[in-house]
Amino acid sequence: MLFLDAARFAENACLVTQHEAAYRDMSPRQVAEQAFRMADGCLMSAKKDGIVHIGGFLGMRDSTLAERCELLLIATEGFPTYGGLAGRDLDMIARGLTEVTEPCSLRARADAASHLARLTREAGIAIVEPPGLHALYLNAGRLLPHIAAHRFPGHALASSSISKAASARWNWAPSTLAARTRTAPRSPQRPTSWSGSRSPDGRTGSAT
């Protein structure tokens, strides 16, 4: 059986129209529809090409397999009737799955990625070419050639980046706070008023 990971289905369809001669006259939506027709099912994290902040789904053509999946869902998550996504989120997924294949939307994402790729190259940072539509991937093998592939240079690069970013954050924050404290104008003291049967220092009466 063929199941598609549909998290980036619109981006993949767009790239197909750009790099596959047989599909250049088709729209990304037509390419996506053809891909789904060839599959037995799909699973999707809708937070990617569904353009929503939560949710996903599992779809399949085989009703028997769907029933087996539903039984597993009951054992691991609960009955489908328990709730799931709110109606608002379901509406957002339905709209997002349509809007994400619009050429103007995909073109804007591609332009943003290309712009970031150009800036990255100009800074001398190696990336995986060609860039996609939703992110750039740093070429850890070229950036850290002294680390063998079996020692996972990508993990080393990510760990080093996080460590340096955290160090820079904590080295920067106290000095900036001190500078702001020295340069910030002091607000004039304003008298406070209070009335009641007992003053803040324990004496009875009122104070202004």
Side-chain angles (χ1 to χ4, degrees), residues 118-178:
R118 180 178 60 79
L119 296 177
T120 306
R121 295 188 197 99
E122 291 176 354
I125 301 174
I127 62 174
V128 177
E129 300 282 2
L133 274 71
H134 74 278
L136 297 185
Y137 294 89
L138 301 183
N139 192 327
R142 290 183 57 187
L143 292 171
L144 301 175
H146 60 290
I147 300 180
H150 70 278
R151 294 189 177 274
F152 307 110
H155 286 195
L157 179 61
S159 299
S160 176
S161 300
I162 293 172
S163 176
K164 290 182 178 179
S167 177
R169 172 187 173 89
W170 290 110
N171 288 339
W172 169 81
S175 60
T176 303
L177 178 61

Side-chain angles (χ1 to χ4, degrees), residues 6-7 9-10 29 36 42-59 83-101:
F9 80 95
R29 184 174 300 172
F36 282 111
C42 70
L43 64 158
M44 182 179 193
S45 170
K47 292 189 289 185
K48 282 77 172 179
D49 276 359
I51 327 180
V52 294
H53 56 270
I54 189 172
F57 59 85
L58 174 65
L85 294 176
R88 179 201 63 169
D89 297 314
L90 292 173
D91 287 342
M92 292 174 65
I93 292 176
R95 177 62 64 89
L97 292 175
T98 300
E99 292 183 350
V100 72
T101 55

Side-chain angles (χ1 to χ4, degrees), residues 37-121:
R37 280 195 295 267
M38 296 171 61
D40 297 295
C42 70
L43 64 158
M44 182 179 193
S45 170
K47 292 189 289 185
K48 282 77 172 179
D49 276 359
I51 327 180
V52 294
H53 56 270
I54 189 172
F57 59 85
L58 174 65
M60 61 203 72
R61 301 182 187 278
D62 190 330
S63 59
T64 302
L65 180 60
E67 291 176 359
R68 292 175 58 188
C69 291
E70 185 173 341
L71 292 175
L72 181 61
L73 172 69
I74 294 172
T76 57
E77 297 290 339
F79 287 94
T81 54
Y82 282 177
L85 294 176
R88 179 201 63 169
D89 297 314
L90 292 173
D91 287 342
M92 292 174 65
I93 292 176
R95 177 62 64 89
L97 292 175
T98 300
E99 292 183 350
V100 72
T101 55
E102 292 292 338
C104 58
S105 174
L106 291 168
R107 187 162 50 250
R109 291 169 58 181
D111 290 345
S114 297
H115 176 66
L116 181 58
R118 180 178 60 79
L119 296 177
T120 306
R121 295 188 197 99

